[in-house]
Amino acid sequence: MSLLELRDVTRTVIPPDQPALTILNGVDLTVESGDRISIVGRSGSGKSTLLNLLGLLDMPTSGLLTFDDRPVKSYSSAARDRVRGAQIGFVFQQFNLLPGRTALENVAMPLLYAEGRSFWRRKKLAADMLEEVGLGNRMESMPDRLSGGEQQRVAIARSLVRGPRLILADEPTGALDLDTGSSVMQLIDDVATRTGAALVTITHDPAIAARARDHFRLDRGVLTRAESAELAAESGAVS
Amino acid sequence: MRRAFTSLVGAVIEAWQELRVHRTRVLLSLIGVAVAVCSLTTVVALGGIVQQANQELSERQSGRPASLFVSAYSNQGTAIDSATMDATWAETLARYDITYGSRVMQTAQAVPFTTGVVDVQTQAVDQPYGEMHRVRLTEGQWFTDEDAAGLAPSLIVNQIFWERLGSPELRTHPTVELGAQGGRPGTTAVIVGVYPVGSYETEPAMFMLADQLSAMTAARPSAVVQDPYGGGGSTRYEMWVPPAISDQLMEVVKRDFSSALATPGGGTGGIQVDVYRQDYAQYGDDPFLVTKLVVGGIAVLVLLLGALGLVNIALVTVKQRVREIGIRRSFGATAGRVFFAVMMESVVATIAAGAVGVIAAVLLVQNPWTKDLIGQGLVSDFPPFPAEAALLGLVAATAVGALAGLLPALVAVRVKVIDAIRY
Ligand SMILES: Nc1ncnc2c1ncn2[C@@H]1O[C@H](COP(=O)(O)OP(=O)(O)O)[C@@H](O)[C@H]1O
Ligand SMILES: [Mg+2]
C-alpha cells in the first residue's frame, strides 16, 4: 500500500488565446511512508506544478493520482481539503507566514481546521512544536521581527503541527543562506524521521538533494529517476 | 456535528484575528455602519416615542380602544332625567360585567387661591376613569375606594393648581375650600394627587369623583358654577371594552337604554339613544402608518448606504488577502470554511459596530435636550427608549454584516489556491 501514487500523469493548461501547454508529461511516481525523495529541475520545468498535484491542490489533466490507494478524483472537494489538512504539510520557499499573526498563531493556524482535542488544545500543541524547532522564546514575535531562518522554522513547525504523513517542501532553503539552509534541512529531516512521515523536497541545490534517498529529475515536464543527486543534477546541466 | 461546532468556533476565531490584524481599516469601515445603525435606531426610537406620545395624548382625550360613549336626548329637546340615566348606566355596566365605565361631567368649581377666587375647570368622573385614560400622576395616587368612601371630597389637581397652593406635601393632606365666597364657608376638599400638564396649559384644573360632586351639589346647590368652557354640565357616559366585542356591545347597549328610557305610555318614539365609538383605533387602519413608513424608509436608506461602503471596503480587503486565503486552503481550510470565515468577519464587526450605534442612539434620544425638543408641550411623561428600536438596530447591523459579507465571501471562495500561493 502506497501513500501517494502518480501513474502516467499529465497536466495541461490552456492559457488564454494560446495553444495548450503541457507542463507535466507522463509522470510516474510512488511515495511510501518514510520515503525521502528529492526532485531537481531547472526553473520552469514544472516542479511546483508537480508539487501542487502531490499536495492535492491541483488535479491531473489525465492519468491516475491516488492517495492511500484511493483515486483523488473520487474525493469531494471538501474531503480533499480535509485530507490535505490532516495528512500533508507544506513548507514553501517564501515561508508564507500570515503577516500580523504571532509565531504561535501561525503555528496554531492549521489546527483551526482540525477537530476535537487538536482543535481545543491548539495553543499548547503549537507551543510544543515551536519549542521543538528551537523557537520557544519567540512565540509572541510577529513574522517581520524574525530572521529568514527563524521564519522558515516557524513555517516548518506549522507544517508539522498536525502530524502529517507527507511533508512537501518547495525549495525550502531557496531564500536562506547556506548554513541556515542546511540547519533548516536537518530540522525537517529529523522531525520527518521521528514521525515516520514521507518527505518530498524540491530543490535545485545538489547538496540539499543529496540528503534524500531517492532522486528524481524533472526536465520539461518529464520525470526521470537518477542513481544519485549528483547524476540528477548533472544530467540537468547536460541537457 | 462535532465538526460543525469546531468549524463555527474556528471561523469566529479566524474572523476575530483577522479583525485584530486589520484594526484600522476595519475601524474606519465600521464607523459608517455604526453611524447608520445609530441613525436607524434613533429615527425608529424617536418615531416610536412620538407615536406613543400621540397615542397617549389621544387616549387621554378620547379613550383607549375601544371606548364607547352613550348619549340620550328626547326629540322634544328636553333633557333626560339624570337619575334615570345614571341608574340605567349602572344597570348596563353590571349586566354586561363591564369593569371600566365612567361618567364624565364637565363643571367648574370656585377655588380660593391666595391671588383670588378662580373658577377651576373640573371633571367629575368615576374611579375607573384613571385607568381608562391612563391618567398619570406626579404626586399621590388616583382615587382609591377609601377616597370614594370619605366624607370630604377628594381632588386630583393639575400641576398648576398644586403650584399655586405652594406645592404642599400630599402627606400633610392639603385642603381647599370649594365654593367659599364672600366669607361664606365652602366644602372642604382634600388633594390626593397631582397630574402633570403640557406646556401649552396655563390654567388650574382638577378631577373629582362624580358621586362626591353630586353629594356636594345636593347639599349646597349654589356650589355648581356654570361651566365656562361650554361643557354645559351634561354627563358623558363612557366605557372601555375589548375591541373585539365593541360592535356587538354598541347594539345591545343602545337597545337596553332605549327600552329603559321609554316613557310607560309613549314607547321609544320620543327618545333618541346613541352609542358611538371615538378612540383613535375606531377606523381599523393604523393612523400612524404613514409616519412609520416614511421614517422606516429613510432609516433603511441610510443603512443601505452604510452597507454599500462596507461592501466596498470588504471587497478591497479580500483582494489583498488572496494569498492568505491560499495559504489557509493549503493547510486544510475548505471552501465552505473560507466562505464562512469571511462572512463572520463582516458579521462580527457589524454586530460590534451595531452595538456602538445603538448605545449612541440611546444617549442621543434619552438626553434632556432631546427630551425637551420633542417632548415639548406634547409629552408630559417621556416614554423610555423603545426596546424594539434597539433590537431592530442590532438585527439590522447583523443583516447588513451578512449582506456585506456575502460578496467578499464569494470572491474569497473563488480564489485559486495554486495561483494564490505562487510567487
Ligand atoms: N496556470 C498556468 N498557466 C500558464 N502557464 C503555467 C501555469 N502554471 C504553470 N505554468 C507554466 O508552466 C511552467 C512550469 O511552471 P512551474 O511548475 O511553476 O515550474 P517550476 O516550479 O519548476 O519553476 C512554467 O513555464 C509556467 O510559466
Ligand atoms: Mg517553482
Side-chain angles (χ1 to χ4, degrees), chain B residues 4 7 13 47 52 57-58 68 184 200 210 219 222 242 250 281 283 312 347-348 360 415:
Chain B
S7 294
I13 291 168
Q52 193 182 339
L57 205 71
S58 82
L68 305 185
R184 217 156 29 100
Y200 57 89
S222 66
M250 277 161 85
Y283 305 110
N312 189 25
V347 172
V348 166
V415 164

Side-chain angles (χ1 to χ4, degrees), chain A residues 43-44 46-49 93 170-171 202, chain B residues 422-423:
Chain A
S43 179
K47 302 187 296 294
S48 295
T49 305
Q93 174 176 357
D170 191 355
E171 314 239 14
I202 281 177
Chain B
R422 191 196 302 277
Y423 50 95

Side-chain angles (χ1 to χ4, degrees), chain B residues 210-258:
Chain B
D211 286 337
Q212 289 180 338
L213 176 70
S214 323
M216 192 172 85
T217 316
R220 221 163 33 76
S222 66
V224 183
V225 181
Q226 188 58 24
D227 175 17
Y229 302 92
S234 71
T235 305
R236 212 167 77 212
Y237 296 86
E238 180 184 341
M239 58 174 91
W240 175 39
V241 299
I245 61 161
S246 68
D247 284 349
Q248 203 186 340
L249 213 55
M250 277 161 85
E251 268 176 45
V252 296
V253 169
K254 181 172 176 160
R255 198 192 56 213
D256 289 2
F257 262 78
S258 300

Side-chain angles (χ1 to χ4, degrees), chain B residues 303 390-401:
Chain B
L303 200 66
L391 196 69
L392 179 77
L394 280 183
V395 168
T398 313
V400 160

